[in-house]
Amino acid sequence: MSDTTASPGQITASDGMSLKAKLAKATRRSKIKALLMVAPLGIFVLISFLVPIAMMLTRSVYDPVVSETFINAGPLLARWDGKGLPSEPVWEAFAKDLKIGKKNKTIGRAATRINFDLPGSRSVFTKTARKIKRVKTGPYKEAMLKIDKRWSNPELWMTIKRKLSPITAGFYLNAIDMKYTGTGEIVSQPDQRQIYIMLFKRTLWLSFLVTVFTIILGYPVSYLLATLPMRYSNLLMIMVLLPFWTSLLVRTTSWIALLQKQGVINDLAVWLHIISDENRLQMMFNSTGTLIAMTHILLPFMILPLYSVMKTIPPSYMRAARSLGADQFTAYIRVYLPQTLPGIGAGSILVFILAIGYYITPALVGGQDGQLISNIIAYHMQKSLNWGLAAALSSILLAGVLALYWLYNKLVGIDNMSLG
Amino acid sequence: MALPSHVSLGERLWFYFFRIFCALVFIFLIMPILLLVPLSFNVEPYFSFTSGMLSLDPKAFSMRWYLDILQNGMVNPEAAFSWDWIKDSWANGQWIHSIKNSFIIAFFSTIIATTLGTVAALGLSQSNMPARNLIMGLLIAPMIVPLIITAAALFFFLSSIGLSQTYTGIILAHAILGTPFVVITVTATLVGFDRSLIRAGANLGAPPQTVFFKVMLPLITPGVISGALFAFITSFDEVVAVIFLAGYEQRTIPRQMWSGIREQISPTILAVATIMVIISITLLATLELLRRRSERLRGITPH
């Protein structure tokens, strides 16, 4: 109680407590109250958003499939020195695991994992697993070699040995177009299998282009909206907000109707004799389609922050510059433009963040060379089922997005994020 | 904003160039959306204007794709219009099914997102909130993290607790995606909130809950409702999470459009899109009215 009772000379409250202690108590209570109000949403976001993402990302380094499948052979193989071929007990345990794996249908998954590192090795496992059940007694080494002589390849054994460790950097290596060789060295993928670096570059390049286009198209429009009288600008604002509020799929659909070979733009161009009927432009199913549709979809995200910044710039600044002798152009470059930079920054980061994670539009209008990194993540999630690689690619993408988010927070502050 | 008479020719030309450029951008923004409307009345199963449509021939227009929204998936679409026909459409129509799903999912996820988001925003606006920026950053994150990552993560998470391909799972996912919008709009409303009103209420003898319900809530209601509308439209439009988490049973309108575009492209999609545009216009108009009401309530005059 020593800190709550007042010492002589201190200001006290009516109940004799020191005012300082009372204030500290009240502050603490209101802090707890504020935290309690945030807690329900905080816990909800933590449990059903942050934890799932963290769990998914662990898949990029953690892959227990091989060690779970070769549960008997694993510990024996771990002690193998890697010279020549393993000894008979390893072969025997291996044959046992193959039989179990065949029965539980887990062998295919494990074989696929090893195949990621050593292409063409999948059939060694599936073929042997199919035939091994007829082999009842040893020596298993000879039996397995008879089924498939590729078992004599030490590189295969090295690969299995390495894959037995559930912690792996392999998915990250794959995500940057590298791989382990059978002997454990890290090398580049062969040229025809190098796709991810190219996809990352394309995603960044397309997002950059979309950002630049939205600035070019959005800046003048925001300026017009900010300088027109309220009556007109409110009306024109609807033309910006309506696309913003319209479903993404609706807008993508309308771009399909516009851009396709028998679509409105081509029809119009043929009708105006700009192009002949045989030479209709291919504007869809390539990166042009992705670029046009994404620029349209993300343009409001540039205009809205720019508009809100421009709205706060008093028109008297420009008039002052003019009356001090600057011509229109100089006044604009030296006085107006610098004040709009925060808006350009906010809009650009927002558009860029949204663009690099885009999935729907590239998938529908992108065709082959308009696919972005999100599309390949979806492919590995749904089709190839290489979830580890999907997680590795996701975590690289996420790291980039979070860095930009941090930058946005530094420059603009998330409290100032506005939604039109 | 007419040009004064003293401007030079160069400035005059620049002015008109600027105006024309802006007009073209507005056309670029709005044209694709408006274009859907006439195309959805096409009698032919194409996505382009026929010569009949261009010459405004009434025969070139039809409501068949709107009818198809009702009919698609029906057991007996050719039957005469009757009570049974309506029941058949309501029970078996594919699009009807997805429309019902969209509304159910959007409704419940909006309620969760709005409740949690509003309470959190009230907490965040307390002057003594510790680590506000960090917490705000985490709460806004679902809006920033690429949807594909969120969807993939939720796919594993919901599968592991047995909620994948259920309504509950999708509602939870959409609630997560909707909360940032509620937090942002309600926080924005609270920024302009005059705290002395609370003290005035307390001073006049009202207990805290009375102050909250009688003073604070009416003032922040427009912000809460616009946040709720944002959450609703987020869920209503969302397709990536639905692709990953929904089974056939939980298909929403955007999901149905997605497979429609990829598999059997027909102008029914354009008809649905037109209806979606009308829904967006309605929501937008509601939002604008709310904004004006909020400004009037808070005594901010429109400038």
Side-chain angles (χ1 to χ4, degrees):
Chain A
M1 285 299 280
S2 61
D3 57 335
T4 51
T5 42
S7 51
Q10 255 184 340
I11 308 168
T12 53
S14 56
D15 57 356
M17 266 166 77
S18 121
L19 204 57
K20 200 176 157 196
K22 252 205 128 103
L23 180 69
K25 202 174 160 194
T27 313
R28 197 166 56 241
R29 198 183 303 138
S30 76
K31 261 187 194 172
I32 291 170
K33 192 178 138 209
L35 277 176
L36 279 179
M37 287 171 96
V38 178
L41 180 60
I43 293 168
F44 181 54
V45 169
L46 185 75
I47 292 179
S48 46
F49 180 74
L50 297 174
V51 171
I53 287 186
M55 270 162 52
M56 182 190 77
L57 295 184
T58 57
R59 284 173 190 268
S60 64
V61 288
Y62 181 72
D63 182 22
V65 168
V66 175
S67 58
E68 277 169 7
T69 307
F70 299 116
I71 197 142
N72 296 305
L76 298 173
L77 198 60
R79 265 176 270 136
W80 171 54
D81 59 1
K83 294 195 186 85
L85 289 176
S87 54
E88 177 63 18
V90 178
W91 293 82
E92 189 181 342
F94 219 86
K96 196 171 159 196
D97 287 334
L98 283 172
K99 283 178 193 164
I100 299 170
K102 174 76 183 158
K103 207 169 80 194
N104 300 341
K105 299 199 169 72
T106 54
I107 196 73
R109 278 166 59 209
T112 308
R113 291 302 198 287
I114 292 163
N115 196 54
F116 289 148
D117 278 16
L118 194 66
S121 61
R122 194 177 191 280
S123 59
V124 183
F125 295 92
T126 48
K127 186 178 165 195
T128 315
R130 214 166 40 241
K131 295 188 175 168
I132 196 81
K133 63 171 178 275
R134 268 178 268 139
V135 183
K136 296 279 189 267
T137 53
Y140 286 95
K141 183 176 176 182
E142 277 71 35
M144 279 170 70
L145 281 171
K146 221 173 99 191
I147 293 169
D148 197 321
K149 61 176 182 301
R150 282 178 288 179
W151 284 113
S152 62
N153 181 3
E155 208 181 330
L156 176 62
W157 287 100
M158 289 295 289
T159 309
I160 300 170
K161 184 179 155 119
R162 195 179 57 251
K163 279 284 184 181
L164 279 169
S165 151
I167 305 287
T168 169
F171 294 124
Y172 278 102
L173 289 177
N174 281 349
I176 53 167
D177 288 335
M178 313 275 266
K179 62 167 186 174
Y180 281 117
T181 59
T183 48
E185 290 155 64
I186 295 168
V187 294
S188 295
Q189 293 271 19
D191 282 346
Q192 75 274 14
R193 291 176 68 97
Q194 292 196 6
I195 47 171
Y196 301 112
I197 297 265
M198 188 270 289
L199 268 174
F200 274 115
K201 277 187 192 155
R202 181 197 287 162
T203 307
L204 290 176
W205 174 240
L206 264 179
S207 308
F208 173 74
L209 283 182
V210 169
T211 313
V212 171
F213 283 145
T214 51
I215 295 176
I216 294 173
L217 297 182
Y219 196 91
V221 168
S222 319
Y223 180 73
L224 185 75
L225 287 172
T227 49
L228 274 184
M230 207 64 178
R231 264 179 305 154
Y232 303 113
S233 72
N234 264 347
L235 212 64
L236 287 175
M237 202 59 179
I238 293 174
M239 291 173 109
V240 179
L241 289 176
L242 184 60
F244 182 72
W245 277 85
T246 306
S247 160
L248 184 70
L249 270 157
V250 169
R251 284 182 282 170
T252 310
T253 313
S254 59
W255 279 110
I256 293 174
L258 277 164
L259 294 176
Q260 63 179 336
K261 267 203 165 165
Q262 303 300 323
V264 177
I265 292 179
N266 266 318
D267 280 352
L268 196 67
V270 170
W271 184 67
L272 291 171
H273 296 289
I274 298 171
I275 52 169
S276 66
D277 201 19
E278 301 83 59
N279 297 323
R280 283 171 175 260
L281 298 172
Q282 179 74 42
M283 290 177 290
M284 222 175 77
F285 304 126
N286 54 29
S287 48
T288 318
T290 310
L291 194 60
I292 296 176
M294 278 174 70
T295 304
H296 177 251
I297 289 165
L298 295 174
L299 189 51
F301 290 94
M302 179 62 81
I303 294 178
L304 293 174
L306 268 177
Y307 169 77
S308 60
V309 167
M310 287 180 178
K311 198 77 206 159
T312 60
I313 302 173
S316 54
Y317 288 8
M318 277 291 271
R319 285 203 290 272
R322 292 299 301 272
S323 73
L324 288 168
D327 59 36
Q328 181 89 36
F329 183 73
T330 317
Y332 188 79
I333 296 289
R334 300 283 295 275
V335 176
Y336 197 81
L337 189 68
Q339 296 183 80
T340 60
L341 284 178
I344 298 181
S348 303
I349 298 177
L350 203 58
V351 169
F352 197 83
I353 286 180
L354 291 170
I356 58 175
Y358 242 64
Y359 169 62
I360 294 296
T361 311
L364 289 178
V365 299
Q368 226 359 280
D369 62 323
Q371 299 292 300
L372 303 183
I373 202 71
S374 288
N375 302 90
I376 203 79
I377 294 175
Y379 167 79
H380 284 306
M381 281 296 298
Q382 296 179 307
K383 299 272 159 57
S384 80
L385 303 183
N386 191 348
W387 291 337
L389 182 54
L393 291 167
S394 297
S395 61
I396 296 175
L397 176 62
L398 189 61
V401 168
L402 290 182
L404 287 169
Y405 185 33
W406 176 80
L407 193 69
Y408 182 91
N409 193 13
K410 280 272 149 197
L411 288 178
V412 198
I414 21 183
D415 320 30
N416 298 329
M417 198 180 271
S418 86
L419 295 167
Chain B
M1 209 167 93
L3 280 177
S5 56
H6 58 77
V7 296
S8 67
L9 181 68
E11 281 179 9
R12 201 174 283 269
L13 282 177
W14 174 250
F15 177 81
Y16 286 115
F17 171 76
F18 173 73
R19 284 293 169 95
I20 291 168
F21 183 84
C22 287
L24 289 176
V25 176
F26 280 119
I27 292 173
F28 172 71
L29 272 169
I30 207 80
M31 210 47 207
I33 295 167
L34 294 186
L35 210 71
L36 288 170
V37 181
L39 277 177
S40 68
F41 292 101
N42 198 345
V43 77
E44 305 288 341
Y46 306 129
F47 268 36
S48 55
F49 288 101
T50 56
S51 51
M53 292 181 92
L54 293 173
S55 56
L56 295 177
D57 180 3
K59 282 200 212 81
F61 294 89
S62 82
M63 292 289 286
R64 62 182 282 206
W65 308 112
Y66 289 87
L67 194 62
D68 190 53
I69 297 176
L70 302 174
Q71 283 179 337
N72 199 327
M74 272 172 68
V75 179
N76 191 5
E78 304 304 325
F81 185 77
S82 64
W83 180 240
D84 284 336
W85 191 92
I86 296 174
K87 272 203 289 193
D88 187 7
S89 170
W90 181 253
N92 301 318
Q94 261 189 51
W95 283 100
I96 301 293
H97 179 67
S98 61
I99 292 169
K100 282 190 275 186
N101 277 341
S102 271
F103 276 101
I104 293 171
I105 291 167
F107 177 77
F108 286 107
S109 59
T110 302
I111 288 183
I112 299 176
T114 311
T115 319
L116 292 177
T118 305
V119 176
L122 287 170
L124 281 170
S125 315
Q126 304 273 320
S127 50
N128 284 318
M129 182 69 205
R132 178 185 292 135
N133 212 348
L134 176 74
I135 293 177
M136 185 85 173
L138 288 178
L139 297 185
I140 305 294
M143 195 170 95
I144 299 295
V145 171
L147 271 174
I148 189 86
I149 296 178
T150 312
L154 284 172
F155 168 75
F156 290 122
F157 174 67
L158 294 174
S159 307
S160 69
I161 56 171
L163 281 179
S164 77
Q165 310 211 345
T166 62
Y167 284 96
T168 320
I170 297 168
I171 289 169
L172 281 181
H174 281 183
I176 278 284
L177 295 174
T179 46
F181 296 98
V182 182
V183 172
I184 289 176
T185 47
V186 180
T187 323
T189 320
L190 287 167
V191 166
F193 183 76
D194 187 355
R195 298 226 152 243
S196 55
L197 292 175
I198 296 179
R199 285 195 291 273
N203 217 356
L204 292 167
Q209 53 273 33
T210 315
V211 173
F212 178 77
F213 284 109
K214 294 276 176 188
V215 180
M216 204 159 174
L217 203 58
L219 284 169
I220 63 164
T221 304
V224 175
I225 295 181
S226 61
L229 284 180
F230 268 107
F232 188 87
I233 201 90
T234 307
S235 164
F236 209 73
D237 275 358
E238 206 287 323
V239 61
V240 183
V242 178
I243 289 172
F244 275 82
L245 306 173
Y248 187 79
E249 199 42 40
Q250 294 90 25
R251 283 195 164 193
T252 59
I253 304 172
R255 179 67 182 80
Q256 190 76 20
M257 288 180 79
W258 162 262
S259 49
I261 294 171
R262 284 167 74 102
E263 288 147 25
Q264 25 117 19
I265 194 151
S266 92
T268 312
I269 294 168
L270 298 179
V272 177
T274 306
I275 296 174
M276 299 273 278
V277 171
I278 293 168
I279 294 177
S280 325
I281 294 177
T282 319
L283 286 177
L284 182 61
T286 319
L287 205 69
E288 180 62 22
L289 288 176
L290 282 170
R291 198 178 58 82
R292 294 199 177 164
R293 188 181 143 78
S294 156
E295 281 177 353
R296 215 177 44 239
L297 274 175
R298 289 194 284 157
I300 307 167
T301 46
H303 28 248

